[in-house]
């Protein structure tokens, strides 16, 4: 079983991945995907952390959700590392993709993401799909009927409140159990956008509440718990709202199994006792690190690598 957690290359996403690589906690069958969105130093530093620690990572060579791909001269380029076999070059299937780019040198792996049925069908007809070691597709019946090769399902499990709703409406809920259906649907693995979600916004948006997100397991089901600040009336006082949210996390975490009490989750809970506000970027980083530490432990116990 393979897991490809999908990250957009924002600053704190990359810092979370860099820390995880340096901790060397991921088994070989958990392979993060990075889609670059900004020309920042953290991008090559993160790639270097993975290849230097002999861990596989995917970098998307033709990112599609920002103007990063339009910048010809990169100040912080990841490509100097592409000769390392631990770096898997990935592509998004688009009408402008050149099929020759899907071919990798001997000993190197490639990955292809196909989000649209029509483009996937055309690529199959042209004989492009055989060139990629991993093919990520939406978990749709018509795509399963189209393909005769093992694939990886890619689905966005994150929920974002709309209009007048807030995370306080659903503080605990189902997140994923994709691995339980993988064999039945001829998937060799699964991929998701973790707790960050698949939607990309260049600048983000303010929120009236501060919400901390932690994934946890209940049996074979991955769930998510949201710790929401009590004050949700306006956009002011993020520090005070953080303390309201982290107090709930600090009360909840000791009641959970040891596997849920990851180092990252414990660091978040410690901010309650310390009464320290690290900034919302650090909170996001630790939430992502927690998710990867949690999934790493689950995979080591349930899908050990030979």
């Amino acid at each position: 079983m393979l897991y490809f957690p999908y990250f957009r290359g924002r600053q704190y996403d990359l810092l979370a991945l860099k820390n995880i690589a340096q901790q060397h906690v991921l088994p070989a069958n958990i392979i993060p995907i990075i889609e670059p969105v900004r020309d920042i130093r953290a991008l090559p530093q993160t790639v270097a952390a993975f290849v230097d620690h002999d861990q596989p990572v995917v970098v998307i060579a033709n990112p599609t959700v920002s103007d990063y791909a339009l910048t010809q001269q990169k100040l912080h380029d990841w490509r100097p590392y592409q000769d390392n076999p631990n770096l898997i070059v990935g592509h998004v299937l688009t009408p402008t993709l050149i099929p020759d780019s899907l071919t990798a040198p001997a000993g190197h792996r490639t990955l292809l993401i196909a989000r649209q049925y029509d483009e996937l069908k055309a690529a199959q007809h042209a004989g492009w799909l055989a060139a990629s070691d991993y093919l990520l597709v939406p978990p749709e019946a018509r795509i399963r009927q189209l393909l005769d090769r093992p694939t990886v399902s890619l689905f966005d499990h994150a929920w974002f409140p709309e209009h007048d709703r807030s995370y306080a409406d659903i503080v605990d809920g189902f997140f994923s159990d994709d691995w339980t259906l993988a064999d039945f649907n001829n998937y060799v693995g699964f991929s998701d956008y973790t707790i960050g979600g698949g939607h990309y916004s260049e600048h983000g948006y303010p929120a009236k509440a501060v919400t901390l997100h932690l994934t946890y397991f209940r049996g074979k089901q991955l769930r998510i718990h949201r710790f929401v600040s009590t004050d949700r009336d306006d956009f002011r006082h993020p520090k005070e709202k953080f303390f309201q949210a982290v107090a709930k996390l600090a009360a909840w975490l000791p009641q959970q199994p040891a596997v849920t009490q990851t180092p990252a989750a414990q660091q978040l809970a410690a901010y309650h006792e310390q009464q320290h506000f690290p900034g919302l970027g650090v909170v996001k980083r630790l939430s992502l690190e927690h998710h990867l530490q949690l999934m790493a432990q689950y995979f080591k116990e349930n899908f050990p690598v030979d």
Side-chain angles (χ1 to χ4, degrees):
M1 182 63 60
L2 296 167
Y3 176 38
F4 292 91
Y6 199 122
F7 294 85
R8 299 291 166 38
R10 302 179 183 89
Q11 179 77 16
Y12 286 98
D13 298 51
L14 294 173
L15 290 177
L17 286 170
K18 180 183 175 183
N19 287 348
I20 287 293
Q22 292 172 339
Q23 295 165 19
H24 214 284
V25 298
L26 295 183
N29 49 354
I30 296 184
I31 307 174
I33 298 174
I34 300 172
E35 182 173 5
V37 295
R38 295 175 184 169
D39 186 13
I40 54 178
R41 189 182 305 274
L43 177 59
Q45 289 177 341
T46 302
V47 174
F50 274 88
V51 300
D52 290 347
H53 289 82
D54 197 29
Q55 297 178 88
V57 65
V58 179
V59 178
I60 301 299
N62 63 333
T64 59
V65 295
S66 73
D67 59 3
Y68 174 86
L70 302 177
T71 306
Q72 295 297 319
Q73 188 67 35
K74 304 293 194 299
L75 296 176
H76 308 290
D77 200 353
W78 58 270
R79 292 183 182 274
Y81 299 96
Q82 64 184 350
D83 290 337
N84 191 297
N86 283 308
L87 177 56
I88 303 171
V89 177
H91 290 85
V92 178
L93 183 61
T94 67
T96 60
L97 182 64
I98 301 173
D100 290 347
S101 62
L102 301 179
T103 304
H108 289 65
R109 292 172 285 175
T110 59
L111 178 144
L112 180 64
I113 300 169
R115 296 192 174 100
Q116 304 296 329
Y117 173 82
D118 292 339
E119 292 175 353
L120 184 62
K121 188 174 182 179
Q124 183 193 47
H125 181 73
W128 295 1
L129 302 185
S132 296
D133 295 273
Y134 308 112
L135 176 62
L136 275 62
V137 297
E140 300 176 7
R142 61 176 181 168
I143 290 179
R144 290 195 295 270
Q145 294 169 359
L146 174 69
L147 301 174
D148 58 358
R149 57 160 291 177
T151 56
V152 175
S153 67
L154 171 60
F155 190 76
D156 185 6
H157 289 284
W159 173 73
F160 291 91
E162 298 179 356
H163 306 301
D164 295 332
R165 303 193 68 182
S166 75
Y167 285 117
D169 296 332
I170 307 178
V171 296
D172 191 277
F174 170 82
F175 192 80
S176 174
D177 63 355
D178 288 345
W179 51 93
T180 64
L181 298 175
D183 290 341
F184 179 77
N185 291 318
N186 197 30
Y187 295 135
V188 295
F190 64 99
S191 177
D192 59 39
Y193 297 91
T194 74
I195 61 174
H199 174 74
Y200 176 76
S201 173
E202 191 68 31
H203 303 292
Y205 55 91
K208 292 183 177 180
V210 167
T211 305
L212 312 182
H213 306 260
L214 281 189
T215 48
Y216 71 99
F217 277 98
R218 181 181 295 170
K220 294 184 178 181
Q221 184 183 93
L222 183 66
R223 300 180 63 82
I224 187 166
H225 199 92
R226 306 176 180 97
F227 307 90
V228 188
S229 61
T230 306
D231 182 1
R232 301 187 290 272
D233 294 332
D234 53 42
F235 298 101
R236 298 179 299 169
H237 310 303
K239 177 179 179 180
E240 290 74 11
K241 291 175 180 178
F242 168 75
F243 289 138
Q244 294 170 5
V246 79
K248 297 178 181 180
L249 184 152
W252 177 86
L253 189 62
Q255 304 173 25
Q256 306 308 309
V259 66
T260 307
Q261 300 183 42
T262 64
Q266 291 178 8
Q267 178 61 63
L268 280 170
Y271 290 134
H272 167 64
E273 185 166 340
Q274 298 166 1
Q275 284 296 286
H276 172 60
F277 178 46
L280 295 179
V282 173
V283 171
K284 177 185 177 182
R285 171 179 65 79
L286 288 170
S287 297
L288 292 172
E289 287 185 34
H290 162 79
H291 176 74
L292 292 174
Q293 290 168 351
L294 181 76
M295 294 300 293
Q297 186 59 38
Y298 186 82
F299 262 59
K300 289 174 183 177
E301 294 175 359
N302 293 274
F303 308 112
V305 180
D306 296 334

